[in-house]
């Protein structure tokens, strides 16, 4: 432990030691003032055992020694000053034994309660009664009784009985007050009364308690006691919360003990020894305290359960309604029971019209039959299944990847059918447009290549025809034939020139282009391209640096690389786009990096990725021209492209373009 930590701990330990010492002195003085118990013994009505147990329950173990020492010293000094003796040394021993009882009870309860007080959980209350109220006093009180038996010359049984009952009542009445938190977490006052109602409840309890324990008419005492005090305790437990319940219990106990000690109340019967009255009072207080604690624990547990359930429901509802995926719940007959906003948009129908209806009620027959077939197959298999489904909205088709799963009850019987659908319409449209553009470019490149070869042959033919026509011994007829050949060749040359223009890049208007601005403008389109299972992040760091190129070329490079990264990620993943300025001052470059968390590539695959028609995609999902097109575009802007990848470790493409 550092010295700084020690300085942080010391003020808290001293503060709580002072509080414990004042409670020890005040508790004994209160017990003497109340006056319950034999006048010859100091065990009359000690609140300090329970108060100390509650304080230790809430404070760290490192503060216990300071708090316990201050408590014992304050208790012994107060008794010595008030009574004038320490009962032949029995008082210090009894105070130490009481502190040991509080420490043992607090230690056991801390290990079992996880921070909850007896007024907050029925389980903790059961542990508290079994350990703190019964077991610990039963184990520790014989030690104090033996000391007082010797110091006061009393029979052991006469000393042990009051000590055991007093220590148990001290734990039952006073420990919950200091164990209880005195501040509610923000937003947790649901079902709790206002401050005015709390004060009114406590004031009513004080009035009824004084009436019940006053020397009033016989019928008033027995009506007010059992039928008025308990409803008020229930009011406090149900509406005012644990801390006011603990305060109400102590208030009632103090009024009852004070009145009984002065000969008032229903437990004082003329001709009956005072010890019998005290025993009846102690039994009543134990019953009242336990009733209040139990009601408080049950109510607080119920309230917290309601708060947790409400919060869980709010979280689930937020995820449910905010999800871009189509989420729906149906019964086994296919009727919709729950749908989110995305489902309303997908089915083009408000929620009120969807609930309670089957797909056949609002979809075209083909779509409804497809959904019914998929539902039946999922219910038959009894496990989650994925399907591709198409919903027709007028002339437009929307494509979804639907995951269906059964929802079972506690007995394992399928009661509901859940659906989660990802809209792949935009993704497919973008992919189709990209593939169409690549096919057109490929056709143009092939036509240009063929036209170039034909054009070379035409040059040979036209040259020879011109050479033959230049000879002087040719007849007029031959010259006309050669002229026709020349005219036809010229026309063929114009046709091949038009074919070759298909393979050329369009007229490029080079201008200073700020790469970060292009990326910001592309961000919505890129998010749409990878939306759903993939998270796209941009980290722009070129600070306005520009390159000399056509903006559309930069856009096409980024779109192709992001689409390729998306296809390399089989499930959830990330795509990161970063830009920065690198290189020495005389060769500054704008570096654009696109990194994904996909499957990656081995070295043999990397050696061919920039070749035309090379692809690792299965079936017709790839043309093999995406990265080839990117490499051509990078060359046209005067830059370079590289790749860094490992199988199973993702891929990083790096494009360097000279700075203006």
């Amino acid at each position: 432990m550092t010295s700084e930590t020690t300085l942080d701990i010391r003020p808290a330990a001293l503060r709580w030691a002072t509080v414990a010492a004042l409670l020890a002195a005040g508790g004994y003085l209160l017990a003497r003032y109340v006056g319950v118990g034999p006048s010859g013994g100091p065990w009359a009505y000690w609140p300090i055992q329970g108060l100390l147990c509650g304080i230790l329950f809430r404070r760290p173990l490192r503060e216990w020694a300071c708090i316990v020492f201050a408590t014992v010293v304050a208790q012994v000094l107060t008794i010595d000053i008030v009574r004038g003796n320490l009962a032949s040394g029995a008082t210090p021993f009894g105070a130490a034994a009481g502190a040991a009882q509080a420490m043992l009870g607090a230690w056991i309860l801390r290990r079992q309660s996880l921070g909850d007080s007896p007024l907050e959980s029925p389980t903790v209350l059961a542990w508290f009664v079994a350990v703190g109220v019964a077991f610990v006093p039963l184990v520790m009180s014989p030690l104090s009784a033996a000391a007082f038996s010797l110091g006061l010359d009393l029979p052991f049984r006469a000393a042990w009985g009051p000590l055991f009952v007093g220590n148990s009542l001290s734990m039952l009445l006073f420990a919950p007050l200091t164990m209880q938190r005195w501040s509610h977490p923000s937003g947790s006052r649901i079902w709790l009364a206002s401050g005015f109602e709390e004060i009114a409840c406590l004031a009513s309890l004080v009035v009824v308690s004084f009436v019940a324990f006053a020397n009033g008419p016989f019928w008033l005492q027995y009506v007010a006691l059992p039928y008025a005090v308990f409803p008020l305790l229930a009011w406090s437990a149900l509406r005012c919360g644990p801390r006011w319940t603990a305060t109400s219990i102590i208030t009632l106990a103090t009024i009852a003990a004070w009145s009984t000690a002065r000969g008032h109340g229903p437990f004082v019967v003329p001709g009956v020894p005072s010890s019998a009255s005290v025993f009846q009072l102690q039994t009543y207080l134990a019953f009242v305290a336990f009733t209040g604690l139990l009601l408080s624990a049950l109510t607080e547990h119920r309230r917290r359960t309601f708060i947790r359930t409400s919060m869980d429901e709010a979280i689930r509802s937020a995820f449910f309604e905010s999800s871009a995926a189509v989420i729906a719940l149906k019964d086994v007959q296919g009727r919709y029971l729950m749908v989110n906003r995305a489902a309303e948009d997908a089915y083009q129908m408000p929620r009120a019209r969807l609930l309670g209806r089957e797909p056949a009620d609002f979809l075209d027959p083909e779509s409804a039959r497809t959904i019914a077939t998929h539902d039946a197959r999922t219910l038959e298999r009894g496990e989650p299944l994925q399907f591709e489904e198409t919903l027709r909205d007028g002339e437009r088709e929307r494509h979804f990847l639907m995951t269906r799963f059964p929802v079972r009850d506690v007995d394992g019987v399928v009661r509901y059918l859940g659906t989660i659908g990802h809209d792949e319409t935009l993704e497919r449209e973008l992919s189709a447009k990209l593939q169409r553009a690549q096919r057109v470019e490929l056709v143009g490149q092939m036509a240009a290549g063929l036209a170039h070869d034909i054009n070379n042959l035409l040059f040979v033919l036209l040259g020879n025809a011109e050479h033959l026509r230049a000879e002087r011994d040719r007849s007029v007829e031959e010259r006309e034939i050669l002229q026709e050949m020349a005219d036809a060749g010229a026309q063929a040359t114009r046709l091949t020139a038009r074919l070759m223009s298909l393979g050329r890049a369009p007229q490029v208007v080079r201008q200073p282009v700020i790469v970060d601005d292009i990326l910001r403008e592309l961000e919505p389109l890129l998010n749409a391209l990878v939306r759903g299972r993939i998270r796209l992040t941009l980290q722009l760091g070129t600070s306005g640096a520009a390159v000399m190129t056509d903006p559309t070329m930069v856009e096409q490079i980024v779109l192709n690389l992001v689409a390729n990264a998306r296809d390399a990620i089989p499930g959830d993943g990330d795509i990161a786009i970063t830009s920065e300025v690198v290189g020495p001052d005389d060769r500054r470059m704008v570096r654009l990096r696109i990194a994904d968390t996909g499957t990656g590539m081995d070295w043999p695959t990397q050696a061919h990725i920039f070749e035309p028609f090379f692809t690792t995609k299965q079936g017709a999902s790839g043309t093999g021209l995406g990265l080839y097109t990117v490499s051509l575009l990078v060359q046209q802007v005067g830059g370079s492209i590289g790749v860094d990848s490992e199988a199973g470790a993702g891929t990083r493409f790096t494009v360097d373009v000279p700075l203006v």
Side-chain angles (χ1 to χ4, degrees), residues 204-205 208-210 212-213 221 223-235 248 252 284 288:
S204 301
L205 181 69
V208 172
S209 298
F210 272 114
F213 285 91
Q221 297 181 32
V223 168
L225 180 62
Y227 296 108
V229 175
F230 286 97
L232 290 174
L233 277 178
W235 180 14
S248 298
L252 172 62
Y284 167 74
V288 167

Side-chain angles (χ1 to χ4, degrees), residues 196-271:
F196 175 79
E197 184 178 346
E198 292 171 342
I199 295 175
C201 178
L202 184 61
S204 301
L205 181 69
V206 171
V207 172
V208 172
S209 298
F210 272 114
V211 172
F213 285 91
N215 280 337
F218 178 83
W219 65 269
L220 181 61
Q221 297 181 32
Y222 281 90
V223 168
L225 180 62
Y227 296 108
V229 175
F230 286 97
L232 290 174
L233 277 178
W235 180 14
S236 179
L238 296 175
R239 290 284 298 157
C240 301
R243 57 182 180 178
W244 285 95
T245 302
T247 304
S248 298
I249 291 173
I250 293 177
T251 302
L252 172 62
T254 303
I255 295 174
W258 183 85
S259 300
T260 302
R262 282 151 183 78
H264 305 308
F267 300 115
V268 178
V269 180

Side-chain angles (χ1 to χ4, degrees), residues 532-595:
R533 54 189 174 82
I534 299 174
R535 185 168 62 95
L536 179 75
T537 58
L538 270 69
Q539 297 180 2
L540 308 181
T542 59
S543 300
V547 298
M548 186 66 70
T549 183
D550 192 315
T552 58
M553 300 178 73
V554 177
E555 293 175 356
Q556 193 170 356
I557 290 172
V558 174
L559 284 170
N560 274 274
L561 290 176
V562 170
N564 193 73
R566 176 204 62 191
D567 295 339
I569 300 175
D572 296 338
D574 296 276
I575 297 176
I577 302 175
T578 59
S579 63
E580 58 180 335
V581 178
V582 298
D585 293 339
D586 58 338
R587 296 183 60 188
R588 304 286 281 175
M589 308 283 284
V590 172
R591 174 164 292 173
L592 188 64
R593 181 178 286 111
I594 290 88

Side-chain angles (χ1 to χ4, degrees), residues 249-544:
I249 291 173
I250 293 177
T251 302
L252 172 62
T254 303
I255 295 174
W258 183 85
S259 300
T260 302
R262 282 151 183 78
H264 305 308
F267 300 115
V268 178
V269 180
V272 177
S274 61
S275 60
S277 300
V278 170
F279 179 75
Q280 293 179 12
L281 172 66
Q282 291 171 335
T283 303
Y284 167 74
L285 291 179
F287 183 71
V288 167
F290 181 75
T291 302
L293 293 176
L294 182 60
L295 286 174
S296 176
L298 292 173
T299 304
E300 185 68 10
H301 178 71
R302 180 68 175 173
R303 191 179 69 87
R304 292 186 178 188
T305 301
F306 176 79
I307 292 175
R308 286 194 298 268
T309 303
S310 301
M311 181 56 65
D312 292 343
E313 180 62 27
I315 293 172
R316 284 194 296 269
S317 178
F319 276 101
F320 181 75
E321 294 295 343
S322 303
S323 174
V326 175
I327 303 177
L329 183 71
K330 298 187 287 187
D331 59 20
V332 292
Q333 285 77 35
R335 293 185 294 264
Y336 286 94
L337 303 177
M338 294 175 61
V339 293
N340 66 345
R341 293 192 183 97
E344 293 181 281
D345 179 64
Y347 297 126
Q348 294 294 304
M349 188 172 295
R351 187 173 315 188
R353 296 183 58 191
L354 283 172
L355 298 181
R357 302 178 66 186
E358 300 179 15
D361 296 334
F362 55 87
L363 293 179
D364 61 276
E366 182 179 353
S367 298
R369 283 194 299 269
T370 301
I371 292 176
T373 301
H374 293 168
D375 288 350
R377 186 177 178 186
T378 303
L379 292 173
E380 179 184 357
R381 294 281 297 274
E383 60 184 6
L385 298 176
Q386 280 191 341
F387 304 94
E388 291 187 355
E389 295 176 3
T390 301
L391 296 178
R392 291 171 179 82
D393 179 14
E395 297 181 354
R396 185 189 179 199
E397 292 184 348
R398 299 184 65 180
H399 304 278
F400 292 88
L401 179 62
M402 293 288 190
T403 300
R404 284 179 163 76
F405 54 92
V407 180
R408 304 176 185 274
D409 60 13
V410 293
D411 298 322
V413 179
V414 176
R415 298 296 185 186
Y416 305 102
L417 184 66
T419 303
I420 300 177
H422 172 61
D423 190 350
E424 295 185 327
T425 305
L426 180 59
E427 182 180 341
R428 292 191 180 190
E429 291 177 353
L430 292 175
S431 179
K433 289 180 180 179
L434 182 60
Q435 290 187 11
R436 284 196 298 269
Q438 291 173 343
R439 290 193 186 100
V440 170
E441 183 180 3
L442 174 61
V443 171
Q445 291 175 354
M446 294 176 63
L450 292 174
H452 184 270
D453 293 338
I454 294 174
N455 202 46
N456 290 336
L457 298 176
L458 287 174
F459 279 136
V460 174
L461 293 175
L462 289 174
N464 290 330
E466 185 66 25
H467 176 70
L468 292 174
R469 195 177 60 161
E471 293 180 356
R472 296 181 179 180
D473 57 348
R474 296 296 178 189
S475 64
V476 176
E477 183 179 359
E478 289 176 340
R479 290 181 182 278
E480 291 178 354
I481 294 174
L482 291 173
Q483 183 61 44
E484 291 177 359
M485 292 176 59
D487 292 342
Q491 186 177 3
T493 302
R494 287 193 295 271
L495 291 175
T496 56
R498 293 176 65 183
L499 287 175
M500 285 190 294
S501 67
L502 294 175
R504 297 194 192 102
Q507 187 66 31
V508 176
V509 180
R510 296 186 180 274
Q511 59 185 10
V513 174
I514 298 177
V515 177
D516 283 2
D517 291 347
I518 297 293
L519 294 176
R520 290 191 187 96
E521 294 176 0
L522 277 179
E523 186 175 4
L525 180 59
L526 295 174
N527 281 319
L529 188 64
V530 303
R531 69 174 182 175
R533 54 189 174 82
I534 299 174
R535 185 168 62 95
L536 179 75
T537 58
L538 270 69
Q539 297 180 2
L540 308 181
T542 59
S543 300

Side-chain angles (χ1 to χ4, degrees), residues 150-226:
L150 295 175
L152 300 176
D153 194 21
L154 294 173
F156 176 81
R157 185 174 181 180
W160 177 81
L163 274 173
F164 172 70
V165 175
N167 289 342
S168 296
L169 275 178
S170 176
M171 294 290 290
L172 188 63
L173 298 176
F174 293 95
L177 180 67
T178 47
M179 285 182 177
Q180 177 58 38
R181 300 180 183 89
W182 280 84
S183 62
H184 291 285
S186 177
S188 67
R189 288 193 58 86
I190 186 171
W191 294 353
L192 293 181
S194 62
F196 175 79
E197 184 178 346
E198 292 171 342
I199 295 175
C201 178
L202 184 61
S204 301
L205 181 69
V206 171
V207 172
V208 172
S209 298
F210 272 114
V211 172
F213 285 91
N215 280 337
F218 178 83
W219 65 269
L220 181 61
Q221 297 181 32
Y222 281 90
V223 168
L225 180 62

